Amino acid sequence: MSKFLKLFAPTATGAAAVLGSAYFLADQLVTDMPAPARGEIVSAAVADTETQATTDQASAPVQLASAAPARDGGFGLGRPATEDEVRAWDVKVMPDGRGLPVGSGSVADGETLFSDNCAACHGEFAEGAGNWPKLAGGDGSLANDDPVKTVGSYWPYLSTVYDYVHRSMPFGNAQILTPDETYAITAYILYSNFLVEDDFVLSNENFLEVEMPNAGGFIVDDRPETEYPLWRAEPCMEACKTSVEITMRATVLDVTPDVEGDEVAAETVAAAPAETAAPAEAETAIAEAPAQDAVGPDPALVAAGETVFRKCSSCHQVGDGAKNRTGPHLNDLFGRTMGGIEGFKYSGVFQEARDAGRVWDEASLAEFLAKPREYMSGTKMSFAGFRDDQDTDAVLAYLKTFDSGE
Amino acid sequence: MSDPKGPTTSRRAFLGSAAAMGTGALAAGVAHAEGDPLILEKQPWAQEFGDGVDETPYGLPIRFEDDVIRRNVPWLTADPISSINFTPIHALDGTITPQGCAFERHHSGAIELAKADYRLMVNGMVGAPMVFDYADLERFPRENHVYFCECAANTGMEWAGAQLNGVQFTHGMIHNMEYSGVPLRTLLAEAGYDVNGDHSGKWVYVEGADASSNGRSIPMEKALDDCLVAFKANGEALRKEHGYPVRLIVPGWEGNMWVKWLRRIEVTDAAVESREETSKYTDTLADGTARKWTWVMDAKSVVTSPSPQAPITHGPGPLVITGLAWSGHGRITRVDVSKDGGMTWETARLAAPGTAMALTRFYLDTDWTGEEMLLQSRAIDETGYVQPTKAQLREVRGLNSVYHNNCIQTWHVKANGEAENVEVS
């Protein structure tokens, strides 16, 4: 771990100087702030404050004025929040560990959980897949031309990892991870960054002992000192330069999306039927659906299915040119052997289904989409399932329109 | 088309014969009336019905404007669910951005949250944790303000060089709306926070109801100063993609702090240091150190027309050069425009006096001789801050800051009127 202990001592000094001389409103506040936990190991005991209630649900009653709250607003609007309501929504974790629930998780458990819940986007080793965020690596790259900002190379606080994984991940199925699972995944991310050994177990007890390599790598906004004084002079109006040369042109790179006029915009929409964003695409689908065939799908159901499919489209493509992404493409899904797309890396349960010769049909898809993890225990698909059968019907109707009948 | 409510028979007969004569004359190519057929010939829209008032209960722009839309840069992000699109500022005028084409940025998609299902919790270091529903919010005294909302990453793709060829893409992560809402100060007071007490060390943590639960820490001084809990924009309900039914307005500060689908406001004694204020929205400097808490959007301007998506199509003569200017520090007091890449400057006309933390429209009414131009604009705000060049910014920050690129932009306008995004010496 020692090779990561670059605490940017000169930078920390610089930050202190900034704090001392801040005059700008927001920074003025900063001068009055209690010292942040940066670079320090704070005992977990500091968590023993008024937010204890969120960390230990069994004890520490919350003071809650239910009848006449001490407020001077005077409008008498709203109502007191219950203790349970605050506990349900206030799950944030502070850098000093306040808000961490009691619990623990090992690197080993984290590896399995990460593979099931996170690896589809972040890679098996947290190295990132495609354009999705890399969570590991990048050590020492921050001053390079192309810095790689990961949990190991950049994130200053471990609390942020726990907080974000627990509240906002997995992508598209947030808030499913228990505290123990979150500790385990956090431990695995640390392991992937070579910050802990493979037998490490992270818990609320030892959480603050983990040192984040870039904890000292941040300074508070210093523009009021380093920039604003430079750029407050009366600007030049005449003969400001002797000559001007063009040094770079955007067209050389040619990375701008086509935007010239209506036709091109229409083409863009038509070329991306499986994409999700533009409302115009829903209209396109409605307009096209009746043309499919007279006895075919209900256009309204197909249109509804296209909307529902947005939940799927972050991982699955369908339509012309659809490719495997986080999940396999979904063209010609009906009648396809389960786990049957060549080159896609399926979970074990799908490999077994393929070897058993199982085939997707409407009934099996409906069952799978209602409760994916029950129907296919061990699937990597993070989606929790449709709560409403109408959504399943709609999305299947939509997917059927991409059935070539072969 | 028959016209039962048309003119009298005799008048119609007269007009009909005149039209027949005119058409015949044109067809024969003899002694035709001179002028524009759009004027000389009767047009269907001048004779037939248009749409009735029940045709469009809520209107969209006419189909001829259907290229004035938000656009995405697909390679920028892994997925449109957690991505950004861009306001077509090249095609807009004035300062107010229509909601339907105002840029969107989501971290887990734009959610559908009904007013009836909306709850706002205020907790933490307050007198008593409170819950407000939507109807409660509409009963507090309300204010109206126009503010710009700019993503900290606006122009962020241009740090290393001229990259995207259109002002929509280089500068379109911005919109400007009139908001109606309740001051955050009022809600904090209602929950028993002493708004007249000692705020040192106090923060407000705000969090959204979507799956990303985007959360940001705001110093208490700012929270009490001008933050607004808004539910209307440009007179109507917020759009889904902008946080319906309620979002936070943080005037002059980076758009990520304008939490959408606002569900929780907590008074804390420290910054939470959430993902969006540590791993993102921090600005890496050349030595690898990163600035954090870079909340304010510094003064910035850009010429919106002519620009790559809005070329000059009319040849030499009168030309309106126009653009937008804004500052998170207050009012725009002046905008200068250069046609020669910054060798000489002339001061543009502000369409209206600048207002604090809102877009200002500027015009330079000029006579274009057809010469090539290197068009630039530079904004000056009420603090005397002058918008810097990209070279000046790079000198301080290097190339990897990503966020807060407020440099002077250059368009190379060619003799044929086309324009290109370039960098100049």
Side-chain angles (χ1 to χ4, degrees), chain A residues 120 132 274-275 312-317 322-329 344, chain B residues 77-80:
Chain A
W132 297 98
E275 293 295 333
C312 323
S313 64
S314 59
C315 298
H316 292 284
Q317 289 191 342
K323 293 190 176 69
N324 297 331
R325 297 175 82 189
T326 303
H329 78 75
F344 185 79
Chain B
T77 52
D79 192 277

Side-chain angles (χ1 to χ4, degrees), chain A residues 8 11 24-26 29-30 32-34 38 50-51 64-65 69-81 85-86 88-95 98 131-133 142-147 149 154-157 159-160 163-164 167-168 171-172 174 217-223 226-228 230-253 255-262 265 275-277 310 313-315 325, chain B residues 66-67 71-73 75-82 107 119 121 123 127-132 136 139-141 161-165 169 186 189-193 199-203 205 207 211-213 219-221 253 263-264 266 269-275 278-279 282 284-296 298 309 329 334 336 340-347 374 378 380 383-386 388 392-393 396-397 400 404 412 420-425:
Chain A
F8 291 93
T11 302
F24 159 68
L25 171 77
L29 182 76
V30 166
D32 296 323
M33 291 291 300
R38 176 199 304 149
E50 81 280 358
T51 54
L64 193 74
R71 54 201 165 91
D72 57 8
F75 293 100
L77 294 168
R79 61 165 177 83
E85 286 174 336
V86 172
W89 273 9
D90 185 354
V91 295
K92 56 131 200 354
V93 177
M94 303 287 281
R98 280 180 288 166
N131 221 356
W132 297 98
L142 297 180
N144 295 356
D145 285 348
D146 197 9
K149 299 180 185 178
Y154 194 66
W155 291 38
Y157 303 106
S159 59
T160 313
D163 182 59
Y164 187 70
R167 265 195 305 150
S168 310
F171 189 60
F218 291 80
I219 57 170
V220 171
D221 186 5
D222 64 352
R223 287 176 294 174
T226 57
E227 296 185 4
Y228 299 164
L230 299 178
W231 302 328
R232 282 210 177 105
E234 181 61 28
C236 171
M237 297 298 284
E238 293 287 339
C240 305
K241 311 181 207 178
T242 50
S243 70
V244 171
E245 303 293 328
I246 293 175
T247 54
M248 187 165 181
R249 295 173 176 277
T251 50
V252 173
L253 278 173
V255 292
T256 310
D258 288 333
V259 293
E260 305 295 325
D262 300 5
E275 293 295 333
T276 54
R310 292 177 191 183
S313 64
S314 59
C315 298
R325 297 175 82 189
Chain B
D66 64 4
D67 60 331
R71 290 187 174 86
N72 178 11
V73 177
W75 54 260
L76 208 56
T77 52
D79 192 277
I81 298 290
S82 178
H107 297 260
R119 300 290 183 273
M121 182 183 289
N123 73 312
M130 296 291 293
V131 173
F132 302 103
D136 291 330
R139 297 174 66 190
F140 287 103
Q163 179 156 271
L164 287 164
N165 204 29
F169 302 109
T186 303
E190 187 73 5
Y193 179 77
H199 309 305
S200 58
K202 298 273 181 33
W203 294 71
Y205 181 68
E207 186 180 274
S212 79
S213 61
M220 183 59 81
E221 269 79 356
W253 288 21
R263 81 164 189 184
R264 200 167 73 83
E266 181 184 357
D269 61 6
V272 168
E273 304 285 4
S274 71
R275 179 205 188 234
T278 53
S279 77
T282 47
T284 305
L285 303 173
D287 68 355
T289 311
R291 288 174 176 162
K292 69 172 186 177
W293 302 348
T294 48
W295 301 304
V296 184
D298 291 331
Q309 294 164 283
H329 290 288
R334 187 176 120 194
D336 299 330
D340 55 17
M343 288 196 284
T344 58
W345 295 84
E346 40 194 319
T347 297
L374 291 168
R378 76 180 170 209
I380 303 171
T383 71
Y385 177 95
V386 182
Q392 286 174 314
L393 281 175
V396 177
R397 305 188 201 167
N400 288 323
H404 294 279
H412 176 209
E420 184 187 359
N421 176 13
V422 299
E423 269 184 33
V424 294
S425 57

Side-chain angles (χ1 to χ4, degrees), chain A residues 163-185:
Chain A
D163 182 59
Y164 187 70
V165 171
H166 184 53
R167 265 195 305 150
S168 310
M169 288 284 119
F171 189 60
N173 197 18
Q175 302 189 52
I176 60 163
L177 298 169
T178 65
D180 285 351
E181 289 173 333
T182 310
Y183 280 114
I185 287 172

